[in-house]
Amino acid sequence: MSNGDVLARYEGALMQTFGVPPRVLVRGEGPWVWDADGVRYLDLLAGIAVNSLGHAHPRLVSAIAEQAGTLMHISNLFASEPQVALAEKLDALVAGESGRVARTFLTNSGTEANEAALKVTRLTGRPRLVAMEGCFHGRTMGALSVTATAAYREPFAPLPDNVTWVPFGDLDALAAAMGADVAAVVVEPIQGESGAVEPPAGWLAGVRALCDEHGALLWLDEVQTGIGRCGDWLASRAEGVVGDVVTLAKGLGGGFPIGACVATGDAAALLQTGHHGSTFGGNPLASRAALTVLEIIEDEGLVEHARATGDWLAGAIEALGLPEVSHVRGRGLLRGIVLNQPNAKAFGSAALEAGFLVNAPRPDVIRLAPPLIITRSDLQGFLDALPGLVSAS
């Protein structure tokens, strides 16, 4: 079947929440994918920062196949060893050297992890949340209530309210918004959907201090920035900040759906029996996949690789001196190419035709979030093509 054949069926069979996609992808290997017409593309998006090991990593494929042949699903009426082992690993990753107790609730996605985190904040007994302008935390109703984009929110109003919005990176504005009624401040260390926007240095540590001062929880949404994506296991770790609640997903499963809400300190004891649940969350297959991803990232040194490769890529793009490009922002392998004109959508189309998968989260920003395994040699073709892509758009 060709791209056109399958897309005609797609339009008739699926709800039109995504429009009609431009291609049908049928196969992947490493950082490459092929469409139904046999055309090869360099995947610089990794399923929106999900495929941390690229496509068809043999160790991950083997682990999933082995677990599928043993035990896939049992519900949370029973426990499994992969589930417990994964929670132990995530607890240690999030707590770090802080000495805090940590506990994990496993979910199927990032938005579900944020729903669990939202319930944790409710159990503080405080009614108000503080969220950042430009943020994205998911599409379910609770997560949507702390997502800033009006176009996502307005069709589904009224949403859960009592949210105060402050500019991302503005510590004075946050200080003015704080009070004894604030349950939590929710923040992405780097705003991915806004195009890899970083706050000023020291801002996140300042947020931590304000939360401590006012007795509020610090809720870190690391769904997109975590699991090595930004050159640290957690992007918040670059400033030595430990969250009271940390949400994870995307790269955690390397393509297999899984998310996690990890709470530390006193927050780890807030959710109790009957407060929350999930039929599929933490099933043995998803847990085994996530454990294997974490092991491979560690064994192959991919956190350090993401940091070094991302720095090289950003420097190489800026060194081209392209008049159409303002600058490159972000950290590790979560990068935004900021254009001088709002031509990102046209750039994305030109890139697709040239054999590159990218994303335009904002009119003037191209987001790059390739697999953590990508090499400089893989990326060189994109760098060589970039002058033509920006001029064509």
Side-chain angles (χ1 to χ4, degrees), residues 10-355:
Y10 180 103
E11 191 169 9
L14 280 86
M15 290 186 183
Q16 297 303 294
T17 51
F18 302 106
V20 179
R23 297 289 190 278
V24 177
L25 301 181
V26 298
R27 182 170 68 88
E29 183 179 341
W32 303 94
V33 293
W34 286 259
D35 72 13
D37 293 335
V39 179
R40 188 179 79 156
Y41 304 85
L42 182 62
D43 186 357
L44 298 176
L45 190 57
I48 313 182
V50 168
N51 298 316
S52 45
L53 305 179
H55 301 273
H57 191 290
R59 276 182 64 183
L60 181 57
V61 170
S62 177
I64 290 173
E66 182 182 57
Q67 189 64 48
T70 305
L71 191 67
M72 285 198 294
H73 175 73
I74 54 174
S75 85
N76 281 295
L77 296 175
F78 303 93
S80 72
E81 199 282 332
Q83 173 197 46
V84 175
L86 176 61
E88 289 171 338
K89 201 165 186 70
L90 293 177
D91 291 346
L93 188 154
V94 169
E97 303 300 319
S98 69
R100 294 184 176 206
V101 171
R103 289 192 175 89
T104 290
F105 181 87
L106 294 168
T107 71
N108 307 290
S109 65
T111 194
E112 290 175 71
N114 284 330
E115 290 287 334
L118 187 58
K119 281 191 170 181
V120 171
T121 71
R122 284 285 191 262
L123 292 172
T124 65
R126 295 182 174 195
R128 188 159 61 96
L129 295 171
V130 180
M132 304 297 124
E133 295 174 3
C135 70
F136 181 86
H137 299 292
R139 301 283 196 140
T140 51
M141 294 294 276
L144 193 58
S145 72
V146 286
T147 290
T149 306
Y152 297 160
R153 295 164 48 84
E154 289 173 355
F156 305 102
L159 295 165
D161 55 9
N162 217 348
V163 178
T164 301
W165 302 93
V166 300
F168 182 62
D170 188 333
L171 205 58
D172 291 337
L174 178 59
M178 297 299 287
D181 62 336
V182 174
V185 177
V186 53
V187 60
E188 302 157 276
I190 299 172
Q191 291 189 331
E193 286 296 312
S194 283
V197 179
E198 280 195 276
W203 177 78
L204 193 61
V207 177
R208 173 74 273 178
L210 283 171
C211 288
D212 291 340
E213 178 184 346
H214 293 274
L217 301 179
L218 174 56
W219 167 4
L220 296 172
D221 182 337
E222 294 253 19
V223 167
Q224 189 162 164
T225 57
I227 315 299
R229 169 62 50 190
C230 295
D232 289 276
W233 277 107
L234 301 172
S236 52
R237 201 56 54 79
E239 291 198 39
V241 172
V242 177
D244 301 293
V245 184
V246 177
T247 49
L248 303 164
K250 289 192 180 289
L252 177 58
F256 202 97
I258 189 168
C261 173
V262 186
T264 71
D266 292 342
L270 288 174
L271 279 180
Q272 292 292 317
T273 303
H275 280 153
H276 200 35
S278 173
T279 297
F280 294 102
N283 69 74
L285 185 55
S287 298
R288 176 73 182 278
L291 274 170
T292 304
V293 169
L294 295 174
E295 290 165 1
I296 293 170
I297 289 174
E298 189 169 14
D299 291 348
E300 298 187 3
L302 295 181
V303 174
E304 297 79 7
H305 177 76
R307 184 187 309 126
T309 304
D311 288 347
W312 171 83
L313 176 62
I317 292 171
E318 292 190 338
L320 292 172
L322 300 173
E324 298 90 348
V325 174
S326 170
H327 61 284
V328 180
R329 64 193 183 198
R331 204 185 309 158
L333 286 173
L334 179 62
R335 297 286 177 169
I337 303 175
V338 183
L339 306 176
N340 286 317
Q341 298 295 327
N343 299 331
K345 187 174 181 180
F347 180 104
S349 297
L352 184 66
E353 292 300 322

